[in-house]
Structure formats: structure tokens, C-alpha cells
Amino acid sequence: MQLIDGKATAAAIKQEIAEEVKAMVAKGERAPHLAAILVGHDGGSETYVAAKVKACEECGFTSTLLRFEDSITEEELLAQVDALNQNPEIDGFIVQLPLPKHIDSQKVIEAVDYRKDVDGFNPVNVGRLSIGLPCFVSATPSGIMDLLDRYHIETKGKHCVVLGRSNIVGKPVAMLMMQKSNPGNATVTVCHSASDNLKEICASADILIAAIGQPEFVKADMVKEGAVVIDVGTTRVPDATRKSGFKLKGDVKFDEVAPKCSYITPVPGGVGPMTICSLMKNTLLAAKRR
Ligand code: GUN
């Protein structure tokens, strides 16, 4: 069994991005500029946005954080999105989710100019992905593909089972895995909480991507001997022994599944660190396209 080290891979990719940025700046171009909108004070969102700002520093990007209270109206937020769409100094931006209940998230996502949508959430980018056109791919699926690529894991002709059908992970990663590319070119099955014979389907996977959002859902009897297991789960479970008061749990029962795998991603330190790295890759791409 080989552990897939997302932390080390992400660090290597950020280093490569930083070198490209250095070369851009040396040629007289300005550094890529990412903006983030953060509404309210959700603990998880605060942590993610702080990590995104830090990653920008590591890559040599400029970053701008726009903070608003929960009381911001949908109209005011849409005006902020429009200002970023129009601002030529901003290459790409994200609106951190979740948004307060009185704001229609889908409306906000659709308001982001698809050319600056480095989260890859706008339906234009999702549609372009589905027919294999150049686009911004959402961060987690893109990070998973990079891990498969950097570990030279064969995907062509393999049976890839995606467990979970979310718009930001399950659906796009299924699209990428079926595309005629490398990595990709796999036979893809998407299953979810309503699937019959879930155990049998998962156990038939050469590559299992677990993104169902239920801690330790995947047990040893759901995994084939020699399978590649990618664990996307990051559920916070209470842990009084930690300063933060919680620990992250994946969707895979790691201790019993790992011995059966050829490769497996740990939680934390697997897919997680790759997601922010993919956002940096998209921002660099947006800057190159300007
Ligand atoms: N909330 C959780 N994950 C994400 C993400 O990838 N992008 C944004 N904008 N919000 C999130």
C-alpha cells in the first residue's frame, strides 16, 4: 500500500506556480490577483479563506479579501460581484460558500463572470467541462486528477466508482474520469445514498472516489483488493483532546481499508491540501488569459 501524499504534492505544485509567477513578473507583467468575498463569520469558511490568502502569498499572487456582515442584502452582494467582474486588476475571484439563507447562492454563482470564475462553479464552466472544452475546473476534482497524474496511476479502461453526486465533487470528477484524456478514459459509475447494491458497486471499483460526506462510510468489505481509494471526506467530528475541539474524518474507514489498497489518500493530508492548490492553478490560468 502506498500513501498518496497530498500535502507534499500540493507544496511541489505551489512551488512550480511561484516560479512561473516570478518569470511573469521578471518580464514586466503583474502578478496574478485573486479576490475572495467572505460573508459572515462561519468558522469553516474563515479557516478556508485564510488558507487561500496564505496560498496566494506562497505563490507570489496578490490577494484581496472582501468581508461583509451576514446582514448584507442579496442586491448589495450582487453589486460587489459585478464590481469584481468589471475590475481589470482582478484576474479571478471566489465567493466563499455557504452564504446566509436570505441570499440565493445559485444566483450569486451565476453572476460571477465565467472568465473570472476560478472556483469553476458557474454553469458555463460546468457545461464546458461536460463537453471537454477549456474551462475552470472546480478545485477538488482538479486536485484529484493531479494526484492521479503525479502518482502515475493508470486510469485508462479502469472501473472508477464515484460515491456521491454533488455539483462540486461527484458530478465533475465523474466527467473528468470519463473524458478521453490522461488521467481519464475510465469506465465511470456514479452511485449515491439512494443506490441499490452500493456495497457491490463499490467493491467492483479499480478506483474508488468517496465523496458522500459521511464519516467512515466505506468499510473494508466495500473495497476490492488492490484498489486505488481517494477519500474526499472532511467531516469535522468533536475531539476534546484537540485545541480546535474537532478532528477531520474522511469518508473511508482508513485503518481497515488501507491494507487492501494499492494507493490511498489519508485524511487529513490527502485531497484537502490539493484543493487550494487547484484554485491557485486556475488563478494563474486566468492571469495568463487576460
Ligand atoms: N465552500 C466550501 N468549499 C468551497 C469552495 O471550493 N469554494 C467556495 N467558494 N466555497 C466553498
Side-chain angles (χ1 to χ4, degrees), residues 98 133 181 190:
L133 294 175
S181 60
V190 180

Side-chain angles (χ1 to χ4, degrees), residues 37 45 48 52 94-98 119 121 138-140 168 275 279:
I37 293 181
S45 294
Y48 288 132
K52 289 169 187 178
I94 62 155
V95 182
Q96 188 65 28
L97 303 176
D119 255 336
F121 290 171
S138 65
T140 304
I168 63 173
T275 59
L279 179 66

Side-chain angles (χ1 to χ4, degrees), residues 33 35 46 65 96 128 136 184-185 206 231-232 237 241 279:
H33 189 167
E46 295 266 5
L65 174 56
Q96 188 65 28
R128 291 178 68 91
F136 292 118
N185 234 346
D206 301 308
D231 188 349
V232 183
V237 297
T241 68
L279 179 66

Side-chain angles (χ1 to χ4, degrees), residues 155-172:
T155 56
K156 183 182 172 196
K158 302 296 178 197
H159 185 207
C160 173
V161 173
V162 178
L163 179 54
R165 55 180 158 182
S166 70
N167 288 342
I168 63 173
V169 184
K171 284 176 195 157

Side-chain angles (χ1 to χ4, degrees), residues 36 38 43-57 63 65 67 96 276:
L38 175 59
S45 294
E46 295 266 5
T47 308
Y48 288 132
V49 168
K52 289 169 187 178
V53 169
K54 181 166 167 269
C56 281
E57 283 165 22
S63 67
L65 174 56
R67 301 195 63 133
Q96 188 65 28
I276 290 181

